């Protein structure tokens, strides 16, 4: 029973990591260089929605998690490790989490570039 609880915790960690990073970059509020114009808040909301709607980034993270799980399970099998499930979940957490963090940065960049495109003097 002890092995199952460890696997549950790893799966919960991997799922939480991917979910937590999902929209965190899209909720970014860039630093404005100078006075804030009247349309700043409405443009910010529109740019954040644009970043949130980039579902291909979320799909990339889930795909990377699947590849990480397969790689972890394969390495576990090659090494005659008895904990193939744990290795698969660890691989999913590492690779999926890495891509999720990269995608968070991409969504922040989308918000920044969108605001610049709308004429706001944002610096990051």
């Amino acid at each position: 029973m002890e092995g199952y609880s460890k696997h549950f915790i790893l799966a919960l960690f991997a799922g939480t990591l991917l979910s937590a990073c999902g929209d965190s970059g899209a909720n970014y509020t860039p630093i404005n260089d100078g006075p804030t114009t009247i349309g700043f808040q409405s443009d910010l909301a529109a740019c954040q929605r644009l970043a949130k709607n980039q579902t291909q980034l979320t799909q990339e993270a889930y795909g990377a998690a699947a590849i990480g799980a397969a790689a972890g399970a394969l390495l576990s099998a090659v090494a005659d490790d008895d904990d193939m499930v744990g290795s698969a979940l660890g691989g999913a957490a590492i690779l999926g989490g890495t891509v999720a963090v990269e995608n968070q940065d991409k969504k922040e960049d989308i918000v920044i570039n969108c605001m610049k495109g709308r004429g706001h003097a944002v610096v990051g």
Side-chain angles (χ1 to χ4, degrees):
M1 193 64 151
E2 187 175 309
Y4 289 114
S5 63
K6 178 174 66 172
H7 295 150
F8 174 76
I9 290 170
L10 280 171
L12 185 64
F13 172 73
T16 302
L17 182 64
L18 291 176
S19 296
C21 292
D23 282 336
S24 59
N27 293 326
Y28 181 70
T29 301
I31 299 166
N32 194 35
D33 182 20
T36 302
T37 62
I38 295 172
F40 184 86
Q41 289 303 322
S42 63
D43 286 344
L44 177 61
C47 291
Q48 288 173 334
R49 273 193 308 277
L50 175 67
K52 285 179 189 175
N53 289 333
Q54 303 308 307
T55 57
Q56 76 278 8
L57 297 177
T58 303
Q59 292 168 351
E60 282 179 15
Y62 286 125
I67 292 169
L74 181 63
L75 289 173
S76 179
V78 169
D80 284 332
D81 185 5
D82 290 336
D83 192 14
M84 188 179 293
V85 173
S87 297
L89 291 171
I94 291 168
L95 192 54
T98 300
V99 172
V101 169
E102 289 171 0
N103 288 343
Q104 176 182 343
D105 292 340
K106 288 178 185 177
K107 287 183 178 184
E108 284 182 12
D109 289 342
I110 289 169
V111 173
I112 292 167
N113 291 328
C114 178
M115 291 297 284
K116 285 181 180 179
R118 291 173 183 242
H120 298 282
V122 295
V123 294

